Structures are given as C-alpha cells and as structure tokens.
Amino acid sequence: MNEGVDEAGWDVEPGDEIEPVVQAVGRLLRVCREAAGLTVVELAEAMGYGEDMIRKIERGARIPRPEFLDRADTLLKAQGHLRAFMEDMRKARYPKKIRELAELEGRAVEMSLYSNHNIHGLLQTEEYSRALLRTWRPAYSTDQLERMVGARMARKSVFDRSPSPELSFVHEEVTLRRPIGDTMVLRRQLEHMLEVAQLPFVDLQVMPTGRPNHPGTGGRIQVLKFADGTGMGRADGDFSGRPVSDPRQLRLLDLRYGIIRAQALTPEESLVFIEQALGEL
C-alpha cells in the first residue's frame, strides 16, 4: 500500500443511518469495475490505492472520498453513475453527530452561542481546530483527526448562507488567552475572530474573567431558532447535556443567555479587548 490508501475515505461508524447508502455505492463500484473487465488488483493499481482499500469500499465498510468516485467514474467509464453519489459521500464522511449539528445550524435563522473553554467551532481556524482536537484523549488517529477538522470547517458554510442567520457569540476571556497550538496559531485565531466580527449579522462579545456571579458557570450554552418558530437548545449543566426543544426549557436557556450577554462587554468593547489580547502575544 502507498500513502494514498489512507486518503481513499473514512470508515463507516456502526449504526450510522448512512451505511445503506455507502453499501449501495460500494455495490455500484463493483458492478462498474466488473463491467469494465477489471479485477480488484487492477483497479487498485490504476487508482493508486491498496487492494484491501478497494475491497473495503466495495463491501460498504469504507466511505469513499468524492474525488475517488470522480476518478473511478472516468477510469471505469461509468457515465456519471459514480459521480452521482459524490455529494452524498461528501456529507457521509462527517461523523453522525456532526452531520446532525450541521443540519440544524444550516436551518437556524438565529443562533446564540456561549463558550467558556475554547473558541466556538464556527469561529475556529483550521490550524486552531487541529491543535485543539489533538489535545483530546484518547487521541484521534490521523485519519480521525482530519475527518473531525474537515467536518468542523464544513460547518462554517453558515456564514455564506443567504439570507444570513443572526449569530451571537459570547466568549469567556480565557478562551482568548489559552495558547492552543502555539503563539502564531492563537494570533491567527484572534485575527480571524476580528474579521468575522465585522460581518453585519455577527455579534461577538467577551465576558471578562473579572465579571462576578454571571450564570455561565454551568458551562456552554447553545440556542438555535428556526424559521417555523421552533428551536433547539443545549447546555452543559442542564438536561443531562442533551438537546431540548420544549418551549419552557428553551425559555430557561434564553433567559440565561440573555443575562450572560447583558453582563459581557458590548460588541464594540469586545473588539477592543480582542485587539489588546492580540497585541499582548
């Protein structure tokens, strides 16, 4: 096997509802390969991947990358049948829980997000995200790490939506100062936050460490509201950390977030604060 083997795709998570689609793509690949008169070994050599990797894709145990399907479609003269699944596999490559979160964020018209440990995923740069995920234990494999980073970066498509959702972020001061990665990683992260904060639909606020007795001590808070009037919320310290949609529970999270936001620095003061933190690096 060469280095390309590990880049062919991602393993399917047990119980993931996307598994039947991945298996269908694998069967289609096998049909196209056989119709082209190629063995698994021959296809592997032509594609530059290991024989075992091709077998895993064909039996639906491995999610092929979209570019793999693109190349295979050309090589096997599949007339676009393999390419037709490129978007499905692009979505399938992300872990189930992240696909679900991305779907909710993609529907939200308003998001209220409080972070007290690290920079929120929607605001992270790729290098900050990679450095942060490397601190998790048990440690991710290289394949898992890149899959998680890719998923986090894909979620940032919310900033490109039209009409744009209203986004409110409140970050504890410590998230701006904890040296995740190294100084340059943190510097570029803070610079990126300043850029995002210029977007007209984004409010970014900082909660100084010196602010006493605010209701964010229980952990992160996330409240998403949708166009039909429904919503979804989550808080580290409530509801066993599970997402909730009951209006009464959402009101509690709304109340808590509102108090946090009122006690934080204003968006204008927060930009000055971040600039000062950047100047201290």
Side-chain angles (χ1 to χ4, degrees):
M1 297 183 186
N2 57 29
E3 293 182 358
V5 170
D6 292 333
E7 298 177 355
W10 305 265
D11 288 338
V12 179
E13 294 181 33
D16 193 330
E17 71 272 6
I18 202 69
E19 187 174 15
V21 180
V22 177
Q23 291 173 341
V25 172
R27 289 193 297 269
L28 177 60
L29 177 64
R30 184 177 67 251
V31 169
C32 292
R33 173 181 60 77
E34 292 174 347
L38 296 180
T39 65
V40 170
V41 174
E42 290 169 336
L43 177 61
E45 291 177 350
M47 293 287 292
Y49 295 108
E51 174 186 347
D52 183 61
M53 186 61 63
I54 300 298
R55 294 188 188 281
K56 288 181 70 174
I57 292 174
E58 288 193 354
R59 69 171 182 266
R62 189 78 168 170
I63 302 168
R65 289 179 182 263
E67 52 268 31
F68 175 93
L69 294 180
D70 185 44
R71 288 178 57 200
D73 195 285
T74 299
L75 179 66
L76 301 175
K77 296 181 173 58
Q79 299 181 333
H81 294 299
L82 290 171
R83 287 195 184 96
F85 285 95
M86 289 174 62
E87 184 59 30
D88 296 281
M89 295 303 97
R90 186 172 287 110
K91 295 177 181 178
R93 63 181 175 170
Y94 302 131
K96 178 181 178 181
K97 64 179 181 180
I98 297 180
R99 287 203 310 272
E100 294 171 345
L101 176 58
E103 189 275 331
L104 291 171
E105 290 174 341
R107 289 197 296 116
V109 296
E110 182 181 334
M111 290 189 244
S112 300
L113 308 161
Y114 166 70
S115 300
N116 64 342
H117 289 308
N118 47 64
I119 304 299
H120 191 277
L122 290 177
L123 293 175
Q124 291 176 14
T125 64
E126 183 172 336
E127 57 185 350
Y128 179 95
S129 177
R130 185 174 289 105
L132 177 65
L133 291 169
R134 280 185 176 135
T135 69
W136 291 20
R137 293 296 181 273
Y140 288 120
S141 67
T142 300
D143 187 50
Q144 291 171 325
L145 177 65
E146 292 309 310
R147 188 182 187 191
M148 293 294 291
V149 172
R152 190 159 293 186
M153 294 302 101
R155 286 170 51 203
K156 295 170 72 172
S157 62
V158 297
F159 292 105
D160 301 321
R161 282 172 44 197
S162 180
S164 305
E166 291 295 322
L167 302 176
S168 170
F169 298 90
V170 178
H171 276 74
E172 286 289 336
E173 176 182 347
V174 66
T175 66
L176 310 177
R177 300 191 183 279
R178 180 170 288 122
I180 299 296
D182 58 29
T183 300
M184 288 308 299
V185 170
L186 182 57
R187 171 176 288 279
R188 285 189 284 265
Q189 175 60 62
L190 296 184
E191 290 172 344
H192 176 67
M193 292 175 72
L194 290 173
E195 292 174 3
V196 174
Q198 301 303 317
L199 296 173
F201 54 91
V202 173
D203 276 337
L204 177 57
Q205 295 175 253
V206 175
M207 177 69 78
T209 301
R211 285 283 200 270
N213 306 320
H214 74 77
T217 54
R220 297 169 300 173
I221 297 174
Q222 176 187 48
V223 180
L224 276 60
K225 297 180 180 179
F226 309 115
D228 62 1
T230 62
M232 187 282 292
R234 183 180 304 186
D236 286 343
D238 291 294
F239 322 120
S240 301
R242 294 191 299 270
V244 296
S245 57
D246 181 88
R248 291 170 297 179
Q249 296 170 325
L250 288 175
R251 279 198 296 273
L252 291 176
L253 296 182
D254 257 338
L255 172 64
R256 189 176 307 165
Y257 186 83
I259 296 173
I260 291 172
R261 189 174 184 181
Q263 290 184 263
L265 298 176
T266 67
E268 293 76 16
E269 293 169 337
S270 297
L271 291 183
V272 173
F273 192 97
I274 295 173
E275 289 171 347
Q276 291 173 342
L278 184 58
E280 294 169 7
L281 292 177

